[in-house]
Amino acid sequence: PPAFQLRRYAWSAKLPLSILTDFEEFAVYDCRVKPDKSDAAATARILYLTYTDYADKWDTIAELFHKDAVLAGSLEKFAETKVKKGSEPVDEAFLRDIERWRQELAVNIARNNPALSERDINRAVQTSIDRIVFLRIAEDHDIEEYGQLKTAADSRAVQERLVQLYHKADSTYNSGLFHFEHEKGRDDAGIDDITSRLKIDDTTLRAIINKLYFPESPYAFAMIPPEVLGQVYEQFLGKVIVLNERHEATVEEKPEVRKAGGVYYTPQYIVEYITENTVGKLLADCKNPKEADTLRICDPACGSGSFLLGAYQFVLNWYAAWYDAHSPEKHPKAVWNAAPKGDTADWQLTIAEKKRILLNSFYGVDIDAQAVEVTKLSLMLKALEGESAQTLAAQRSLYKDRILPDLEGNIKCGNSLIGTDFYAGQQFSAFDEETRLKINAFDWDVEFASVMGNGGFDAVVGNPPYVRIQVMKEFVPHEVEFFKIVYASAKHRNYDIYVAFIEKVMNLLKPQGLCGFIVPNKFMQQEYGEAIRGILAKQQAVQAIVNFKDNQVFRGATTYTCLLFLCKTATAQFLYSEVAELSAFVQTKQPTAQGNINSSEISSEPWMLASKGKGALLKKLSQFPRLESFAREIFVGLQTSADKVMIVEKIGEHPDGSLLMRSAAQQREYTFEPDILKPIISGADVKRYGHPVKHQFVLFPYHIANEKVTLIPEKELKANLPLTYKYLRANRDTLAGREQGRMDTASWYGYVYLKNMSKQEYRKLCVPRLVQRIQAVYDSEGEYYLDNVDVGGITLLDESNEAYKCMLGLLNSRLLTFFLCAISTPFRGGYYSCNKQYTSQLPIPPIPNRQQLTQLVSEMLTLHENLAATTSADARKLIQRQIAGTDKRIDALVYALYGLTAEEIAIVENVS
């Protein structure tokens, strides 16, 4: 039926809406709903008109479908209001299908081929899926005979028939996907000597292939862009086939992926923006294809190939436009006229030219062999895009033998960060084969000798992996030690692997080369980024930064990112921009420019990047001494490693003074002796100038004397605090099991980490560690203990009440929040990290006369105390007005202490 056919095409192409009309009827379909052969014509239809409705509904039709309205985004807005239940994007559906095929093939191949290793089975399954998908797409593009896979599936000995098709494909395409025997000029490492002798049950293969054809299949493969397939495979590569001792196969998430929280593909708009601002800039300087031919483009962590695919499309567009504008008929090897006779010329790049450009300009590396094969597949499909049996026949004289290039020499499997110098001074034989394969040492000067011998790459693009050192230590401990030696950026105890990629890329670029990466923005402020900041600052390598702040780029992941553009040649200035609204950036690709930053103004210190006026103000504030020079300690709270057991909530009080508490661990009420309970506050309890209510308490089984902390002996605990001891004994298994059983000792009821325990009873300022604005309270009696996760404490060298109140007023001012937001790491919802790393950097001015600020802060403390004690709505409103007025007076006094001008105050007031 026409409706089903239309929806298949649009759904496969990832188009949200499509129109079906013969003028008499006009129907609009929500094509995000997966089509099914049994669907009625009305399924997913969101607008239906007949010709008799046109006059009355013309305004509605024009508002939605007039050319100007469509260009202004009318269809996108209409689609947003019409999302149907059951919407499932084509990429999610196809991912679910190929994951099922992988499971079925893995189980069947493992059972029927007991001699195959785990690595061989992974390769065989991946290759089988890739070949079937490639040939099925080629059928829908009318490059291969339609139905040949189904014919093979309907026969006996399906795998043998498929292998025949694969060998035929090798003679047609020359693709590494079908490489079975030695050939002169081709790398033998890519030869497949496994699949030709695989035993796979007919029923397994038949079930997979039959699901790829109409009407069983919802997919119109000719309409699925290679970019979408790349996104599917990005997720697919996050899992691996594992064999047990009985040679039975299961599919599991890769351990490193599980630790990282999953696999997240880079959105297309990011790929396009980075490509335009690297490859695009280089091509803009090229006067003709001869100059463009000199460009070499690389992704050193290519994954499924999304960046190489985007760059390849961009370059193809440039060549096509150049030839079209420069007498295309004079370049018969590069372009051909695809228009029917008599029509206006339609000049298209020849398959030979697309093949030449791909081999000439594009390179990629990934440590995952399966990812490398997927990248090759994606690039080959992109080269075939727009081709058919007819177009290829028309160009037959332009390519000598086979249609596609062998990408074995361009897209390679290896460890971009580790060369064979890894083994220097070590016994190569000390590493078993599996470890060597995991390390996968890769020498750029050898593998890409012609490129590196000519100075390096013109453009490096990509999304390097984000892997914390703690995860790396677990899975690749050998590499961690090597990185410390080779990469200055990897010497910090808590770094992320992407900083090493940033450092590495500077060695891969030509002198005029450009790099565009999407990376976490935290390197700009956090301690582990100090070395890479210093490297980039010294080389003046930053060309531009687009900071997404707390906008979430990766669907399903909480990652704070920026686009980092680097150049090998030093630049005096770089452009800093921010993205305020992600949806606006997706549509316009125009971030909000904050201003040009002088490269000489950045260093290894945390980067405070802002517009000219804001930047000058931050620089002025940075001249003042830091808070760390006034602090005796900036410390975190208690680390019990069993908060659900050790932190309890107060329910009531018994006449004998014992406390009735609720345990989060067992959701029951218990009675405790009061002496062992200490009031604890978390970030949610801290409100500016407030006095936290004592509703949560922590079990503190320790004695403190002269700042010395000792665990209460179990015998004493049992004798003097029997109620508490009974509760602890009931939770002994949980407490002893902490840290993988490390606490299963005589100290089983104590804390795992003993830092800062004696500091809890000091007079201190308490500050939440995640804030929208700084919230500080004054614990003048040292009565509260702090929750390590949510709140930190500050003690001062000057222990006077006056000093604490002045610091409280400064911390709660708008000005210090303004400064914090400039140096700290952003989080979703407008929150910023306010931990020691950032609070220690807050600028503190001299206060010649403390009395005025102390008096205002004292008034504020009293007002907040009165507000907490008042239940009258009218009285509360009056006090809140007084608080607002006092707040303004404190802010005005603080501005004066820092010597701010009216213009500088306006910057703070408009930002904070």
Side-chain angles (χ1 to χ4, degrees), residues 139-164:
E139 287 184 15
D140 265 15
H141 279 283
D142 194 29
I143 297 171
E144 290 285 329
E145 178 187 348
Y146 182 82
Q148 63 176 357
L149 285 170
K150 194 166 191 323
T151 300
D154 290 341
S155 67
R156 298 178 62 183
V158 178
Q159 174 65 3
E160 291 179 21
R161 293 292 300 275
L162 289 176
V163 169
Q164 293 171 12

Side-chain angles (χ1 to χ4, degrees), residues 123-124 127-128 130-131 134-135 162-197 373 376 380 402 404-409 411:
R123 182 180 177 186
T127 304
S128 297
D130 290 351
R131 287 170 177 165
F134 177 88
L135 292 174
L162 289 176
V163 169
Q164 293 171 12
L165 291 178
Y166 300 156
H167 279 274
K168 178 187 171 188
D170 188 27
S171 65
T172 303
Y173 300 107
N174 190 39
S175 156
L177 184 58
F178 307 100
H179 187 188
F180 297 99
E181 54 193 36
H182 170 76
E183 290 182 47
K184 188 176 180 180
R186 295 183 78 179
D187 188 349
D188 287 350
I191 291 178
D192 173 15
D193 58 356
I194 296 174
T195 55
S196 294
R197 50 190 172 83
E373 296 309 314
K376 293 177 186 176
M380 289 185 293
R402 291 178 282 190
L404 291 174
D406 181 359
L407 294 174
E408 196 72 28
I411 314 300

Side-chain angles (χ1 to χ4, degrees), residues 7-54:
R7 289 174 53 214
R8 283 182 72 234
Y9 287 157
W11 180 74
S12 297
K14 290 201 79 172
L15 300 175
L17 301 181
S18 285
I19 298 169
L20 183 64
T21 182
D22 61 356
F23 187 77
E24 286 190 27
E25 296 177 283
F26 184 93
V28 180
Y29 286 90
D30 182 351
C31 295
R32 292 162 295 194
V33 179
K34 183 179 178 181
D36 186 271
K37 62 180 181 178
S38 62
D39 287 343
T43 302
R45 192 168 64 194
I46 54 177
L47 180 66
Y48 177 75
L49 303 170
T50 68
Y51 71 96
T52 59
D53 300 316
Y54 292 165

Side-chain angles (χ1 to χ4, degrees), residues 637-649:
L638 301 175
Q639 302 179 62
T640 72
S641 293
D643 285 353
K644 285 190 175 182
V645 174
M646 303 302 278
I647 295 178
V648 290
E649 184 178 357

Side-chain angles (χ1 to χ4, degrees), residues 28 64 91 201 259 353 357 392 529 569 576 642 795 858 898:
V28 180
L64 289 174
D91 50 347
D201 289 344
K259 285 278 186 179
E353 181 70 352
I357 292 168
L392 292 173
T569 304
Y576 175 70
T795 58
S858 296
Y898 288 88

